[in-house]
Amino acid sequence: MRYSGLRVIKEALTGHKGWKHAWRDVEPQVQYDYIVIGGGGHGLATAYYLARNHGAKKIAVLEKGWVGGGNIGRNTTIVRSNYLLDGNEPFYEHSLKLWEGLEQDINYNAMISQRGILNLVHSDAQRDAFVRRGNAMILNGADADLLSTETIQKRYPFLNVNNARFPIKGGLAQHRGGTVRHDAVAWGYARAADQLGVDIIQNCEVTGFRIESGKCLGVETSRGYIAGGKVASCVAGSSGRLMAKANMRLPIESHVLQAFVSEGLKPVLPGVITFGAGHFYCSQSDKGGLVFGGDLDGYNSYAQRGNLPVVEDVCEGAMAIFPMLGRVRLLRMWGGIMDMSMDGSPIIDHTHIKNLYFNGGWCYGGFKATPASGWCYAHLLATDTPHEFAKAYRFDRFEKGQMIDEKGMGNNPQLH
Amino acid sequence: MIINHPILGPRDSAEFTYMGDSALLDRPDWKATDALAQFIDYGYLRDNPAGPHQELWYHEQGDRSFLVVTRDTTTHEISSVKLARDVARSRGRST
């Protein structure tokens, strides 16, 4: 069933009796050509692009809970492609382009809103860094716009550019960046994949891999053994836990990142704004709540909740840049588990075990990467060669010294 | 989160800086024939368990000691705190 405005009107007039489930509830088959582990954004996108771009048949997505119950439903919904390094920028720009056409592609309203992202500059050195980043973005075909203090004051009159401690000296804007309704991305990809014949199997936890003489034959699950031609791990946040079942150690630590939503307000923020003197980013949802976040808690965690010192730090950031929010009440806060990699960049690669593939290490950047991650992972799975835009995301970049370290932090996962 | 410092008693974890898996105490021998592989493993690969995890915390806002804290990464429950110096000595890493 295609969704359309006409369809909504027809259903409204006929008591909404014609809607069908967005995807089928299926029993697992005994064998698939492709088994994607993880029914989050990346896993569902991978299955969709495997079917759409490569004509693959017999694809299963195994999800231990429900579709979209992990980080795709826990992030701060921002999409952007404002990266510096060559290994990253073409990939994220491809992702942003896919976001721009996503709703028509999957026939689903994902509420994609290119309301723009602004990174504020507070010092001369920071402006130099952002000029360099903006130039790198433009060289890779993305849009970047260095805004003067005057322009910022005009467009964002609530910002105090003459703040004594953190004066605003300009900003780097990406006008094509913005926000996307995150849950709708999972649901939309699930529905689109299902329509191409992908089996989405919820409440099916992978409990082990069947590996014989260096080759992965299939997966043991809570719903029995499933044989697979190619098995693709796509469970960022739980990568360490899952790959330990294949006796693999990863260049990844799991950390918790908190996010926050305030009570609903009338429109106050015209786009995404990031504070340059602390770690704080904020946008306003269509419902009116301010959606914001900051740093990791900073120590290994698989608990999907955070601790109070980071709450204080994030709220201090908010008050430093938006003192007008001082009396706004916090509505909800939650935590999601990040695969923090050793250089802050992801991995989309083969493992040393034949027919076992890995996608993870997304750090903070997983949501915006969803379409390109699925696109490139599907390419790797179908052709056994890395996609042009993801060829730097290899396991062996650490031993070869080819790290993609945007922040220049070295192998300190909690600092990326 | 409260860390029970062996010398100073219970301290707020915000006084500490997290330094990662305590396996970092076991720096490989640079003279070993497979030193390169060992250092790649040491520098970049982690066990990253969901459950008890032995990790280094540096008391940066306190007495500057390094601690080995055993903490459950699913509950944040701390079961043991030792001075990293003592742990390293017991493993023959230091005198």
Side-chain angles (χ1 to χ4, degrees), chain A residues 346-384:
Chain A
I347 294 160
I348 302 177
D349 201 0
H350 314 251
T351 67
H352 67 282
I353 299 161
K354 197 169 159 39
N355 289 347
L356 181 60
Y357 298 77
F358 180 79
N359 174 326
W362 288 97
C363 304
Y364 289 16
F367 178 66
K368 74 181 84 68
T370 303
S373 168
W375 186 284
C376 295
Y377 200 22
H379 185 276
L380 174 71
L381 289 166
T383 66
D384 265 320

Side-chain angles (χ1 to χ4, degrees), chain A residues 239-241 244 248-256 297-307 309 339 342 398-399 403 411-414, chain B residues 1 12-14 17-21 23-24 36 39-51 53 55 57 71-76:
Chain A
S239 293
R241 251 196 289 208
M248 275 186 73
R249 294 168 79 227
L250 302 173
I252 286 170
E253 284 180 4
S254 295
H255 286 258
V256 64
D297 276 34
Y299 41 81
N300 287 41
S301 175
Y302 280 94
Q304 285 176 312
R305 63 183 184 283
N307 272 326
D339 269 12
M342 288 288 160
F398 301 100
E399 62 184 77
M403 272 70 83
N411 53 347
N412 284 304
Q414 73 271 23
Chain B
M1 204 159 68
D12 187 338
S13 64
T17 303
Y18 181 73
M19 305 296 280
D21 193 319
L24 293 172
L36 182 60
F39 269 102
I40 291 165
D41 192 291
Y42 172 81
Y44 297 111
L45 297 183
R46 298 288 181 268
D47 287 339
N48 192 24
H53 184 229
E55 54 204 21
W57 289 76
R71 183 181 57 92
D72 191 314
T73 56
T74 60
T75 62
H76 301 326

